[in-house]
């Protein structure tokens, strides 16, 4: 059971906007940055968003991140078929003294 | 090309040991922290631990689930990080990834290896 809670699934049609939430607490999201990863089937996770809302070079600007209090969100605008993947949030937890991943959200493009 | 390559995975019996290696290329390995992350079949990633770079003392932190059993070390002269796994349990079965901590956010893993499978079974 992860300390970061994500919905298990999300879906949308091509072109739609999909939002994934990540809920935590004061010891993790509330006091540290949130990072997001995309994992395509059979591959290693890929860094999608770092420091709450920054995109690494090469990540399309369709992906955006935000954080407020003890929650964070990943938004995918203009959903494309290649966005079908698992998405994980992650943040350091000061109480556990370790990095925690959310349980993951599977995005399906209808 | 910037990359990390893991090796050393395989089958081990419960209670035995295994050592994984992570070989870096394409960047100055010693400038970065190295994390190990594992992913059990059909599950999400789980952070295992990390080793800071020498500027920050080369110290380590571990997840509670592996503390006291796993040890991370590094040899910057060879650009290699190691994960020594002792007293293995069946629940340690997973793909093990080594990752690089980003310079912009040390908790963000910007480079991942392809992973190496560890199976713990009698």
């Amino acid at each position: 059971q992860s300390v970061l809670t994500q919905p298990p699934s999300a879906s949308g049609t091509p072109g739609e906007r999909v939002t994934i939430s990540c809920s935590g607490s004061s010891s993790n999201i509330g006091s540290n940055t949130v990072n997001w990863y995309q994992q395509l089937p059979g591959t290693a996770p890929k860094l999608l968003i770092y420091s709450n809302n920054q995109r690494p070079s090469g990540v399309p600007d369709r992906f955006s991140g935000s954080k407020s209090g003890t929650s964070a969100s990943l938004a995918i605008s203009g959903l494309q078929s290649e966005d079908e993947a698992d998405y994980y949030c992650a943040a350091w937890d000061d109480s556990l003294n370790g990095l925690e991943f959310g349980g993951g959200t599977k995005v399906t493009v209808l | 090309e910037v990359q990390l390559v893991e090796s050393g995975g395989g089958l081990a019996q419960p209670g035995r040991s295994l050592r994984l290696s992570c070989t870096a290329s394409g960047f100055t390995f010693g400038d970065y922290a190295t994390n190990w992350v594992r992913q059990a079949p059909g599950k999400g990633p789980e952070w295992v631990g990390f080793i800071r770079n020498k500027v920050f003392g080369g110290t380590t932190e571990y997840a509670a689930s592996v503390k006291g059993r796993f040890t991370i070390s590094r040899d910057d002269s060879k650009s290699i990080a190691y994960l020594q796994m002792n007293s293995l349990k069946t629940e340690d079965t997973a793909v093990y990834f080594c990752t690089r901590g980003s310079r912009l956010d040390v908790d963000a893993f910007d480079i991942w290896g392809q992973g190496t499978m560890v199976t713990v079974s009698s």
Side-chain angles (χ1 to χ4, degrees):
Chain A
Q1 192 80 356
S2 175
V3 298
L4 302 181
T5 302
Q6 298 180 234
S9 64
S11 63
T13 57
E16 273 193 333
R17 176 183 171 93
V18 170
T19 301
I20 301 168
S21 61
C22 176
S23 178
S25 68
S26 58
S27 64
N28 41 66
I29 294 177
S31 50
N32 296 293
T33 58
V34 178
N35 304 303
W36 290 90
Y37 298 88
Q38 177 194 59
Q39 187 173 30
L40 299 171
T43 69
K46 168 191 169 185
L47 181 64
L48 204 59
I49 297 288
Y50 68 94
S51 296
N52 307 323
N53 55 16
Q54 302 299 302
R55 281 186 309 277
S57 173
V59 172
D61 59 7
R62 304 185 292 103
F63 295 93
S64 62
S66 64
K67 184 181 107 167
S68 178
T70 58
S71 293
S73 293
L74 173 72
I76 310 173
S77 58
L79 192 66
Q80 299 183 5
S81 57
E82 57 261 40
D83 299 333
E84 196 159 276
D86 294 321
Y87 293 83
Y88 298 94
C89 60
W92 186 265
D93 190 293
D94 293 333
S95 295
L96 298 174
N97 197 37
L99 189 122
E100 293 290 323
F101 284 91
T105 299
K106 183 176 184 61
V107 169
T108 302
V109 181
L110 302 171
Chain B
E1 181 189 3
V2 173
Q3 65 176 350
L4 298 169
V5 177
E6 302 92 340
S7 59
L11 176 65
Q13 292 182 322
R16 303 301 291 261
S17 299
L18 210 56
R19 189 178 80 158
L20 306 183
S21 299
C22 169
T23 303
S25 60
F27 66 99
T28 304
F29 178 73
D31 288 349
Y32 294 83
T34 298
N35 286 255
W36 287 91
V37 175
R38 67 185 180 183
Q39 189 167 25
K43 303 294 185 182
E46 178 190 12
W47 177 76
V48 172
F50 82 101
I51 185 165
R52 297 177 176 87
N53 64 21
K54 286 298 193 312
V55 170
F56 289 94
T59 52
T60 54
E61 304 289 347
Y62 300 95
S65 59
V66 306
K67 199 168 188 177
R69 299 188 300 122
F70 289 13
T71 302
I72 300 172
S73 60
R74 63 190 300 155
D75 184 339
D76 291 346
S77 68
K78 297 180 179 178
S79 295
I80 300 178
Y82 301 99
L83 177 63
Q84 177 67 44
M85 303 185 294
N86 298 333
S87 303
L88 283 164
K89 304 176 180 180
T90 55
E91 53 263 42
D92 295 321
T93 294
V95 175
Y96 284 73
F97 298 98
C98 69
T99 73
R100 187 181 81 171
S102 167
R103 295 283 286 274
L104 299 174
D105 183 335
V106 69
D107 293 335
F109 307 151
D110 60 354
I111 303 295
W112 292 64
Q114 85 287 353
T116 186
M117 184 70 203
V118 171
T119 302
V120 183
S121 174
S122 54

